[in-house]
Structure formats: C-alpha cells, structure tokens
C-alpha cells in the first residue's frame, strides 16, 4: 500500500444522505471538503444498493396530502425536485448518479469513493488526522483537517477517535422516557434486505434454495404482503423483512446478511408458492445484497435528544434542523417476533427542533456528526433516523462547520457563541432550510430595507410585501407559542393572466451582486423517489410541480434605465440564485413571470438581494 497525505478544512466520513448534504453545504460555503465513502456509490440506505425511499417530517401528518408545508427545503428539496423531473422512470441508479454529479460539480469538494476511514489520531482533545484506505488502488490516505464530521452511520471515525457513544435501548428512568424499556438492554432495530419484482406475460416459476427459511401464513398475520390490489404490489418489498437487532449489527453483519437472504427468499417462496396469492407471473428483478442497517452506535454529544424534547417540541436556541417523523419503534427480533407488529409509530403533535449540540461530540472538540448516529436516545433516534431529517441535519452541520471555521471557532464552542449561532441559522434560512419560528433577519439582505414592493396584480389575500415576510412556508404544526400564522407568498391575480411582475424599489441606489428567489414547489405534497407504485401515486412524479414558476426574467433599473439581467426557461427548482459578474447599482429590481409549470398565476415566496 502506498501512502498519500491529503489536507482539507473539513473531512466528512460516510456518503449516505447525511454525509452528502453535509459535504455539499460546507463546500458550497467555501470550505475545502473531502468526502470519503466506503462504497462505490453515494446515498447509503437511499442508494441503488439498498433502495429505501427518503421520508422526513411529512410523516407528521400520517401521509397523503399534507395540511401544512412540512416537506424539507434546502439541498434535499433540490435533490428531490431534480429526481422528480429527471428521473421519471424512477431508476435507483439515476439516484446514485445524481448524488455523484452534485458532488463532482462542486469545486471545493473532493470525493473519495471506495475509501474507508479506518483510524484517527487524537492529540490534546482534538482529532489531528484520519487514516483511510482504498483497497482497489492499494492506497492509504492520511487526511489532515480542522473539523471532522462522522456521517458513517456506524460512527467508525468517532470510535477510532475515542468519542463516547451509546448503544442499545435505555430504560425509562435514564432520560424519563415513557416509551423506553423497563430494563435497558443492548438490542437495536434490525436490518433489512429489500427486493423488487416484476410481472411478466407468462408464468415465472420460483424454486427456493434449500437454505431459504420456510414460512406459513401465521408468520405474517401482522405483516401485510401482496396487498397492492389486483397487481399485488409486489414491485417493492418489504421493509418488515427485518432481523438481527438482537445481535451486534456491526460485528455480526455478515451473519445478518446471510440470514436476511434466507428470510427474503423464504418470504418470496411463501408468496409465490404457498400463500394462495396469484403471483405466478411475478419474478424477482433485484434483491439487495447489502442489508439496510437501521441502528448501531449513537454518539454522546453536548446534548442528548430525548423523547420529551420531541413530544414537547422543546425550543433550542441552537436549532439547526427540524424533524417530525413519528417515533417509529420496531421489535429487534423482526420477523422472529410474528406476534408483535413490525413497527409501532407514535405520532408526534408538532415538528421539533434538532439542536447543534446533538451533533457535536462530548469528546474530541473538533468532531461533529450527522445522520442516524447523532446524539439521541434510542426512542428519539426512532424519529430522527429518517433520511430527509438526516439530510437537513447534514446541511445544518455542514453549514455550521464551514461558518465556524471562518470565525476560527471550534465545533465544541459554537453553541456558546450566540452571534455565530445566529449567523449559522440565518445562512440556513438563506439556503431555504426551515427552522421552526425563526425568520429572515439577515442584515445583509437589501430587500428588507427596500422602500416599496409592488406587483402587476395580486390575488385576494396576498400582497407583494409577503416576499419579505421573513417566512417561507406555512407550518401550523408547531406549539402555539412558536406559530407565526399567515400567508407567506405573493400570488398574482389569475384573472389578469400572465405575464405578471413583482417589483422591489429602493429610496436610494443600492449595489447588488446576488439575487435569491424562493419559488413554490408544493411543499404540502409528498415527493420522494420510491420504488413503490402505490406510494408514488400519491405524488406528482415525473414532472415539475405545477405551482413552480417555469419561465421568468430578472430586470434591474439603473441610472441608464431598465435592463434585463437574467432570463430563465424551464425552471422547476424552488431556490434560484442569480450572481452577477459585477455589482450593479440599481434603484429597482423586477421579476417578470411569463409561464408556470401548470397554475394560471405566478407565485413567489421570497426575494433577497445582496451586495
Ligand atoms: C430497511 C430500512 C428501512 C428504512 N426505511 C426508511 C424510509 O422508508 N425512509 C427513510 O427516510 N428512512 C428509512 N430508514 C432509515 C434510514 O435509511 C437511515 O436511518 C439512514 O440511511 C441514515 O442515513 P445516514 O446517512 O446517517 O447513514 P447511512 O445511510 O447508513 O449512510 C452511511 C454511509 O457511510 C458509509 N460508511 C460507513 N462506514 C464508513 C467508513 N468507515 N468510511 C467511509 N464511509 C463509511 C456507508 O457505506 C454508508 O453509505 C430505513 C432504514 C432501513 C435499514
């Protein structure tokens, strides 16, 4: 093995959804980032290797059409919209490619695929460097960084650095959790192997290998199978093929994979040959060889997030993300507990804050983490673990890591620096993340000090001033003391047709270099790449969202009169950033919408302008 030394500002270990969003956020803010991923593709449990669909706070409503705009914004929304439009065929490999493409496009981000972080050197309470290995090229990398972020799920980097972690299920008394065990144990949620099947035009026989498990209908009385209506819905199954939570999900992972393959083929054998369902024309198309791992280690951070934090929606001054998925607890024995439901979902009353302190180690002072290994009890983790929540935590951590480095503040000291926390939160809002109850108070945003905002027309109940309300979504699922009710977007009058325009005017000329627009992408709707046909039918997949502005122009008024500075066609994204080569001294800015992707009127949620 040859050895190379690499230098960066931030080393992110693990390229699941948390790691990718963390690395993208930090590198987009100018930090030099290295992302090490031990697999050939990015995405972790959302990759083509495992194929879980990304869910998040939309689970608060129990699914379907949402009464409020719960869907996460920021990088995960950018990814979801790209996939909805550019992957109508729902190919899992296109997901891998999209994540790879996003990373490859970032000039400050260097991606090391097939590269496993295997060691760390700590001195005076700080991680100084990590060791990573790429077996395919027989290379060892010594990677020096200022901040290290563990997004490996299993917490390998932190463990190598001696960071404290928890494992298993706490008892009720430890954190005062009603949903915890009477007695603590070392069990976790289990792992699963997913499969995909396809219906053919002729019978497709299946003979199980001798090592497959044998099941009877009694084993599945609480586990729904072949329930997709006339076509049985066998195209994607089954998250409840879960096993191994009574073992060590790291050390026993090879054994768990073998047993899960035996279980998965046993389930398929039962459906095809013994269940009575007419599955004769169905055949396996794909079967996972990499078990999706739900749980292993959870780090001990500066704060341990608990059930009560979630249920009470406790307000944290250092909030960097939010969650809302139910507390989703499974029996560790999985299919070997046929008399227990495969999951019990305890729905939460509100969205909840995730504080930065749950993502900063109580050990090494420059270690942060994002994803399923954050500092949360087993019960709280049962909600935070879903991938859109991991994504927003990843973006929050990447943003905090990058901005703290600019100020020379160690991760361990960020939360105590209220001004830095404010800057991090304002950056997250600027990047279209949502933080419960926090508004745009960015002093650099010139739109906030504009003298007048007008429009060609406004639909009843809205007005152009709403593009600087400081709030970019209607979220009613928050405790009363944190609600900020009201409409938050300008809509043109449908009767006046398109084009429609919105104009921002300043009393004195301002110098503008960047304009940020937030457009409507229907955050009240589900949207995620899924291999399940029934779930996808609840979304508008394979097309832009109808609310979204499709074609628009940006014009500015200068001393020489009006000039067009940007023209966009076929937009489907929610966040659009226009950066000019040079500052423009302007007295007014106008957005003219000529077409949407479906609606008969224009909608603009927020406009920001920066020098
Ligand atoms: C069967 C199953 C069903 C689930 N259902 C859903 C669902 O429907 N929706 C949902 O949103 N969530 C679901 N979850 C939960 C969710 O998938 C996980 O909690 C989530 O993947 C965590 O994201 P992560 O980025 O933290 O970790 P992971 O997705 O585990 O990604 C971590 C990545 O780090 C890499 N890595 C590990 N060690 C190293 C190392 N030493 N060096 C470099 N790289 C390393 C891994 O290969 C992996 O790619 C499910 C989980 C499972 C297993």
């Amino acid at each position: 093995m040859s050895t190379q030394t690499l230098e960066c500002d931030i080393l992110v270990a693990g390229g699941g959804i948390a790691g990718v969003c963390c690395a993208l956020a930090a590198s987009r803010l100018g930090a030099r980032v290295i992302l090490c991923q031990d697999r050939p593709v990015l995405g972790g449990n959302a990759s083509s290797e495992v194929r879980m669909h990304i869910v998040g706070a939309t689970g608060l409503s129990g699914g379907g059409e949402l009464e409020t705009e719960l869907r996460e914004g920021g990088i995960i929304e950018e990814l979801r919209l790209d996939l909805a439009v550019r992957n109508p065929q729902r190919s899992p490999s296109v997901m891998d490619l999209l994540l790879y493409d996003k990373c490859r496009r970032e000039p400050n981000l260097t991606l090391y695929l097939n590269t496993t972080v295997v060691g760390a050197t700590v001195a005076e309470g700080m991680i100084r460097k990590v060791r990573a290995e790429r077996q395919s090229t027989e290379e060892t990398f010594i990677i020096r960084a200022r901040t290290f972020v563990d997004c490996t799920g299993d917490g390998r980097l932190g463990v190598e650095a001696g960071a404290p972690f928890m494992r298993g299920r706490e008892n009720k008394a430890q954190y005062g959790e009603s949903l915890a065990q009477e007695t603590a144990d070392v069990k976790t949620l289990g792992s699963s192997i997913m499969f995909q099947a396809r219906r053919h035009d002729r019978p497709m026989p299946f003979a199980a290998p001798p090592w497959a498990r044998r099941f009877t209908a009694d084993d599945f009385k609480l586990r729904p199978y072949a329930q997709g209506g006339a076509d049985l819905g066998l195209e994607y199954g089954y998250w409840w093929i879960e096993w191994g939570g009574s073992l060590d999900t790291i050390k026993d992972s090879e054994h768990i994979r073998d047993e899960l393959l035996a279980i998965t083929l046993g389930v398929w054998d039962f459906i095809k040959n013994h269940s009575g369902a007419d599955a004769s024309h169905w055949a396996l198309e794909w079967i996972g060889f990499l078990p999706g791992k739900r749980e292993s280690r959870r780090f001990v951070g500066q704060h341990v997030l608990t059930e009560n934090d979630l249920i009470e929606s406790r307000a944290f001054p250092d909030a960097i993300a939010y969650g809302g998925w139910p507390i989703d607890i499974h029996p560790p024995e999985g299919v070997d507990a046929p008399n227990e439901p495969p999951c019990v979902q305890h729905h939460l009353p509100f969205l909840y804050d995730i504080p930065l302190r749950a993502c900063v180690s109580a050990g090494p002072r420059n270690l942060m983490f994002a994803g399923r290994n954050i500092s949360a009890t087993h019960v709280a983790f049962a909600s935070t673990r879903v991938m859109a929540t991991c994504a927003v935590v990843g973006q929050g951590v990447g943003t905090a890591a990058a901005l703290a480095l600019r100020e020379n503040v160690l991760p361990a000291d960020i939360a105590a620096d209220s001004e830095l926390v404010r800057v991090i939160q304002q950056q997250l809002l600027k990047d279209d993340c949502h933080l419960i109850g926090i508004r745009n108070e960015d002093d650099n945003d010139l739109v906030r000090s504009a003298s007048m905002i007008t429009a060609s027309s406004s639909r009843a109940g809205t007005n152009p001033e709403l593009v600087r309300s400081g709030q970019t979504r209607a979220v009613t699922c928050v405790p009363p003391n944190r609600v900020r009710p009201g409409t938050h977007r300008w809509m043109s009058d449908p009767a006046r047709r398109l084009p429609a325009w919105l104009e921002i005017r300043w009393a004195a000329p301002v110098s503008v270099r960047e304009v940020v627009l937030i457009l409507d992408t229907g955050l009240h709707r589900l949207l995620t790449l899924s291999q399940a046909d029934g779930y996808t039918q609840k979304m508008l997949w394979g097309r832009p969202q109808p609310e979204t502005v499709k074609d628009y122009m940006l014009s500015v008024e200068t001393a020489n009169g009006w000039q067009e500075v940007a023209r966009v066609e076929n937009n489907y994204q929610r966040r659009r950033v226009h950066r000019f080569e040079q500052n423009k001294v302007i007295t007014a800015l106008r957005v003219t919408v000529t077409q949407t992707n479906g609606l008969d009127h224009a909608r603009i949620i927020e406009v920001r302008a920066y020098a």
Side-chain angles (χ1 to χ4, degrees), residues 347-426:
H347 280 267
L348 295 165
F350 307 119
L351 297 178
Y352 59 85
D353 280 348
I354 299 177
L356 180 74
R357 280 168 297 153
C359 308
V360 176
S361 178
R365 294 172 58 72
N366 58 346
L367 174 63
M368 304 176 83
F369 21 81
R372 62 182 168 86
N373 60 11
I374 65 168
S375 174
T377 62
H378 172 78
V379 173
F381 146 89
S383 168
T384 60
R385 66 193 179 88
V386 287
M387 289 182 276
T389 305
C390 292
V392 289
V393 171
Q395 182 162 5
V397 168
T399 301
L403 296 184
L405 280 181
R406 276 190 206 167
E407 302 300 322
N408 254 323
V409 175
L410 279 175
D413 298 328
I414 303 174
D417 185 336
S418 56
E419 179 50 26
L420 179 56
V421 168
R422 198 186 83 90
V423 169
I424 291 165
Q425 290 174 333
Q426 288 299 320

Side-chain angles (χ1 to χ4, degrees), residues 14-18 36-39 43-45 52-55 115-117 151-153 156 192 292-294 370-372 385-388 390:
I17 291 300
C36 288
Q37 161 70 342
D38 64 354
R39 308 291 307 173
N45 286 341
M52 282 318 306
H53 45 230
I54 295 172
V55 299
T115 304
T116 312
V117 170
C151 299
T152 63
R156 177 73 187 270
S192 295
K293 196 183 288 179
R294 287 186 178 78
R372 62 182 168 86
R385 66 193 179 88
V386 287
M387 289 182 276
C390 292

